[in-house]
Amino acid sequence: AQAHRAQFHGVPKGPGREYVRRVSVPVDELPADWRATLRRLQLDGAYTPSIMQRMTHRLGLFTWSAQRAGRPVDLADTEALRVLYRDLRQRSIDRQIARARKQGLEANITEPRWAYLRSAWEELYRFARAHGLPDAVCDQLRRTQDILAAKERRQSSLKKAQARKIGTRADLLVRAEGLLAEAETASLPQMRHALRNRAAAIALGCAVPARPADVAAHHVFGRGLFHEPERNRYRFRYHPRKTRGSISAEIDIPLDPWWNRFIDALILQDHHPSYLGALRAKVIAEHRPLYVQYDGSPAAYAWYSRMWSLVTGAGGHIARTLAYDDTILMGAEGALYGRVVNGHSPTSRAVRAYESDRLARERIRHSQATMAALFGDDDAGTGM
C-alpha cells in the first residue's frame, strides 16, 4: 500500500494547463503613473488586499480593451469606456451560455450579469478618486456605476438561483454521509481517499462556510483547526484573510462530536481506528492541511470549490448563502448565526448581499403576519 501511494501518479503535480492572459494586461504594462498610485495605495494600506487585487485586475481589463480598439489608456476617454462596457457585456453572456450548455440547459441568454459590470466600474471609480482625476471624470464613472447597480438590483442574483436549486444544508449533509459510506466500499485506495475528502469538504462546508482562500490558508491542523480532547471535538478558529485588515470578526466555530467522523476519516484513511490518537498527534505536529491528495501533497487552491461544484453544481462560496437561508425561521438569531459563521461584521453590506429569495419572502411574510395580527386576523401568515 505504501509503494502504491508513493508511485501513484493520478494527481498532477502542477497546473493542469498553461494559463495565458487573453483579456487583460499585467500590472507592469499599466501606465507608469497608474502603477505609482497602486503602489502608494498598497503601501498605505488604503484598501484590503482583495480590493487592491480586484482594482488592479479591472484596470488591466480596461487597458486591454482600450489598446485593442486603438483608444488611449485614459479613464477620461468615453469611447474607451464604451469598448470596455461592450467587451464585459459580451464576455458575461458568453460565460453564461457556456455554463448553461455544460449543464444541458437552454442557452438563449442575451443579458449579462450586471454585477460583473458594476464591480468593474466600482473599481475604476475607486481608482479614479485615489489617482486624483478631475471631478468630471469621477462623476461620469460614478453615474455609470449607479446605472449598473440599478440593473443589478432588478436582476435575480446568480447565488440566489443556485441556492434554490441546491436545497438545504440538511440535504447536503445526507449526501456527504452517503459519500463517506461509499468510501468504505470503493475498491481502489485512491478512490476511497478522494471520496472521504469530498464528503468532508461538503459536510464541513455546511458547518464552516469558509471562502476557498481560507480553506487553503487556515484549514490546517494546529493552526486554524484545533482538537479539544477534553470535549472530544474539533474547533475552527482564525481571522478570515479577506476581512483581516478591515474588520476584527474572527471565525471561532466549535463542532459537536457528530462532525468528528468527517475529520477523523481524513486522518485515518485506511488505518485502523486504534491508530487515530497517534495519527492525529502527527498531523497536528506537522501542521498538515486538512485536505491532501492521495500522494500527500496539499490540495490545490481550486480543489475545494471543485468538490462543491461536483456535488451541487455551484462553487464553495454557495455554502455562505445557505448559512443564511437555512436559518430564516430563527428570525434575528438565525441572521446572527449566518453572520457569525460567515465572519461578517454587524454592519456588513455582505449580509444583505448573501440573502436569498427565501429569506426575503420570509421577512415579508413575517412583516405582513405581524400587521395582520394587530387587526385580529387569525389567518395571518398563511398566504406565502
Side-chain angles (χ1 to χ4, degrees), residues 372-383:
L374 294 176
F375 294 92
D377 187 349
D378 294 334
D379 294 328
T382 61

Side-chain angles (χ1 to χ4, degrees), residues 31-79:
D33 57 333
W34 286 15
R35 296 200 304 272
T37 296
L38 289 172
R39 182 62 177 165
R40 171 174 56 82
L41 294 175
Q42 186 178 31
L43 292 174
D44 292 345
Y47 302 110
T48 63
S50 61
I51 289 179
M52 289 300 304
Q53 182 180 15
R54 192 165 59 243
M55 183 190 299
T56 303
H57 178 251
R58 302 307 189 268
L59 291 172
L61 293 174
F62 172 76
T63 301
W64 184 87
S65 292
Q67 290 177 341
R68 191 173 67 96
R71 303 300 304 180
V73 182
D74 184 355
L75 292 175
D77 189 88
T78 302
E79 185 55 37

Side-chain angles (χ1 to χ4, degrees), residues 95-107 109 158 161-162 165-166 308-315:
R95 188 179 297 122
Q96 291 180 82
I97 291 174
R99 183 185 297 116
R101 287 175 175 167
K102 185 176 181 180
Q103 297 174 351
L105 304 175
E106 292 187 11
I109 298 169
L158 182 59
Q162 290 173 328
K165 292 189 295 183
I166 290 170
W308 269 79
S309 183
L310 286 173
V311 175
T312 70

